[in-house]
Amino acid sequence: MPLGFAHHHLLGIRQLSRQDIERIFEQAEHFLPYCRSAMYRLPDLRGRTVVLAFFEPSTRTRVSFELAARRLSADVVSFQAAGSSLAKGESLLDTLETLESMGVDAVVVRHRDSGVVWFLQRFLRCSIINAGDGQHEHPTQALLDGFTLWKRFGSLEGLRVCIIGDILHSRVARSNIELLSRFGAEVGICGPGTLIPQQAEQSWKVRRFFVLEDALQWAQAVIVLRLQRERMESGLIPSLQEYHRFYGLTRERLARAPHLCLLHPGPTNYGVELTREVAASPQSLIRQQVHYGVAIRMAVLKLVVGDRIAR
Ligand code: ASP
């Protein structure tokens, strides 16, 4: 394995080279046998402290980071925004500087403001890991999605992947488009016009599908997204039923594309972007994604925090 990982933070996929991503995949592959059970505790982060600072709801990402840090023997602290001095008017930066002064080596941050991690890394010396900033980036989700596809297909080069749904508000879509394009995959997008950013085709070099059936015939894999209603202005879709009728992945639609496998970052809203049957079908890689997520986050923590020369 080559020496030294060039990054002391993980802010977004945009800052990573293809080699960096391959390095993370190789490291995750190595950790896979150790990520399922607390029987194994590897020493890579012994003596390091990782704070999980989630200012937006999360199940998968937060628990997955916590398990990953523990499997590598780190001390893990979950910062609870509710009940903290943020409620007394303390700024986010002051809060994190206070935590850093207590000897923290890394902060895993999720926040509703796009770009917040870029701001924080200018002031903090500890490592910052982006666990989702607004509608901007969610790098570890894209890494685990890319890893899932890489394990399934053996390569991402030339792979046809279509992202379906609320592209406009999705940090998962943005990070995945960056990552997949870096590897020479062909990326498609499909969704209602109100949920696709203007100029998407030109600025991302993606292929736009207007009809779901066409996208399903073209793609080898689809990444199905939740409608991010917490970030949406009202009136972007007529109704959830209408959305499901045109863009929902159902058993009938999937049956007409037997070659296809599907991913979803979670949480799923059954009866909207897909049905429960589809999520549980043999074509679904959703459970694999969650499993690989722990190995990917172990790899990121090891390379970004564990291999960092002590401050
Ligand atoms: N869990 C993903 C995220 O945090 C996707 C979603 O919430 O729909 O962006």
Side-chain angles (χ1 to χ4, degrees):
M1 192 155 282
L3 281 172
F5 189 69
H7 306 279
H8 292 153
H9 306 288
L10 177 63
L11 305 180
I13 296 294
R14 194 155 346 138
Q15 64 165 166
L16 300 180
S17 67
R18 179 173 172 157
Q19 286 71 26
D20 291 331
I21 298 170
E22 281 168 349
R23 179 92 191 277
I24 295 170
F25 285 1
E26 280 165 28
Q27 187 65 60
E29 181 78 33
H30 171 75
F31 281 144
L32 268 181
Y34 305 101
C35 73
R36 209 184 262 283
S37 161
M39 286 285 289
Y40 308 104
R41 277 205 199 280
L42 302 172
D44 301 75
L45 258 67
R46 185 166 294 147
R48 305 292 175 113
T49 304
V50 176
V51 170
L52 307 176
F54 280 63
F55 301 95
E56 272 195 337
S58 171
T59 301
R60 272 153 284 265
T61 308
R62 199 185 56 72
V63 173
S64 178
F65 264 114
E66 179 158 354
L67 288 176
R70 288 190 193 284
R71 301 272 192 267
L72 295 175
S73 308
D75 266 8
V76 186
V77 178
S78 253
F79 171 78
Q80 304 295 340
S84 76
S85 289
L86 285 165
K88 298 182 189 168
E90 187 167 59
S91 75
L92 175 65
L93 181 60
D94 280 348
T95 302
L96 294 184
E97 276 177 343
T98 303
L99 296 176
E100 187 178 57
S101 306
M102 295 179 191
V104 164
D105 298 282
V107 190
V108 180
V109 182
R110 167 169 290 190
H111 198 277
R112 65 191 298 276
D113 291 345
S114 301
V116 73
V117 289
W118 271 262
F119 165 76
L120 292 172
Q121 59 100 26
R122 289 171 43 209
F123 299 99
L124 299 175
R125 285 188 302 141
C126 65
S127 295
I128 310 278
I129 297 177
N130 186 359
D133 63 320
Q135 52 194 65
H136 184 220
E137 278 239 34
H138 191 347
T140 57
Q141 181 68 48
L143 286 165
L144 75 90
D145 292 344
F147 186 69
T148 306
L149 291 169
W150 182 66
K151 295 280 287 174
R152 173 75 171 72
F153 292 95
S155 163
L156 302 181
E157 193 81 50
L159 190 71
R160 295 189 302 280
V161 184
C162 191
I163 306 178
I164 298 172
D166 181 3
I167 316 283
L168 182 64
H169 301 100
S170 175
R171 52 196 176 203
V172 174
R174 281 176 184 74
S175 290
N176 264 303
I177 291 169
E178 282 283 341
L179 185 146
L180 291 166
S181 310
R182 195 76 40 89
F183 280 87
E186 286 186 59
V187 183
I189 52 174
C190 177
T194 48
L195 297 180
I196 304 281
Q198 283 177 2
Q199 310 288 322
E201 285 152 277
Q202 294 84 333
S203 43
W204 285 331
K205 302 201 173 48
V206 292
R207 188 170 169 148
R208 170 81 194 272
F209 289 92
F210 292 89
V211 178
L212 180 60
E213 278 71 14
D214 294 344
L216 301 183
Q217 287 311 312
W218 172 82
Q220 294 165 276
V222 290
I223 300 175
V224 184
L225 299 176
R226 179 178 69 89
L227 295 175
Q228 307 264 307
R229 282 190 283 162
E230 69 276 28
R231 300 187 212 288
M232 237 183 239
E233 299 157 23
S234 59
L236 290 182
I237 51 165
S239 70
L240 295 180
Q241 290 78 0
E242 183 91 342
Y243 180 83
H244 182 69
R245 196 151 73 83
F246 287 101
Y247 296 103
L249 204 50
T250 57
R251 186 165 54 112
E252 296 71 28
R253 283 182 165 137
L254 201 59
R256 287 197 289 274
H259 60 282
L260 195 69
C261 64
L262 77 105
L263 291 80
H264 191 306
T268 41
N269 284 166
Y270 295 132
V272 184
E273 72 272 19
L274 83 180
T275 61
R276 188 182 279 276
E277 275 176 305
V278 162
S281 82
Q283 287 167 262
S284 163
L285 299 179
I286 297 174
R287 297 293 289 268
Q288 296 281 17
Q289 286 174 272
V290 177
H291 172 52
Y292 293 153
V294 180
I296 282 288
R297 290 175 177 119
M298 286 172 79
V300 165
L301 287 170
K302 178 198 159 43
L303 293 170
V304 174
V305 187
D307 290 355
R308 183 174 184 177
I309 314 291
R311 290 176 293 131

